[in-house]
Amino acid sequence: QVQLVESGGGLVQAGGSLRLSCAASGRTFSTYTMAWFRQAPGKEREFVARIMWSSGNTYYADSVKGRFTISRDNAKNTVYLQMNSLKPEDTAVYYCALRRTGGDDYWGQGTQVTVSS
């Protein structure tokens, strides 16, 4: 099994920044990719950013491209999401996800990000 623990959420004014962290533990040796998703009230969960664990290649949703940066620390089994120029529409619960090579998916408990206007 894999456990994911997110941290770093909070309340910030529009234009501000936050950095989310997600620490993975357990059977992480077959990590294929880690990603961030978010879910706003009344909306479906949506993809935000992904990083390939081996190559470090990154992918972003159009809505966050140029403002958010996903990165990883392999030694710490941790993925980060640096969020700059935050907008009220970025308000959501942010979830960390890990996919193992065999296709198993794991999710964190989520961390709230609130951007005030």
Side-chain angles (χ1 to χ4, degrees):
Q1 294 298 318
V2 173
Q3 295 78 42
L4 302 174
V5 179
E6 301 111 330
S7 60
L11 173 64
V12 64
Q13 289 187 333
S17 298
L18 282 174
R19 188 175 86 149
L20 305 182
S21 300
C22 174
S25 62
R27 300 174 66 85
T28 61
F29 53 86
S30 297
T31 298
Y32 176 60
T33 181
M34 290 190 72
W36 289 95
F37 289 76
R38 67 186 182 186
Q39 187 167 18
K43 295 188 176 181
E44 292 187 353
R45 191 172 297 189
E46 65 175 4
F47 166 75
V48 175
R50 173 177 289 110
I51 187 164
M52 308 307 289
W53 203 248
S54 178
S55 67
N57 289 344
T58 57
Y59 306 88
Y60 297 92
D62 288 342
S63 59
V64 306
K65 204 170 293 184
R67 300 188 298 122
F68 291 11
T69 302
I70 188 170
S71 61
R72 75 197 192 295
D73 184 329
N74 294 56
K76 295 182 179 180
N77 287 323
T78 299
V79 66
Y80 305 96
L81 186 68
Q82 178 66 43
M83 305 185 294
N84 299 328
S85 302
L86 282 161
K87 305 175 181 179
E89 51 264 43
D90 294 318
T91 295
V93 177
Y94 283 70
Y95 296 91
C96 174
L98 180 150
R99 172 164 288 181
R100 293 175 60 183
T101 306
D104 298 336
D105 289 334
Y106 299 88
W107 293 87
Q109 81 287 352
T111 185
Q112 177 70 46
V113 171
T114 303
V115 184
S116 63
S117 56

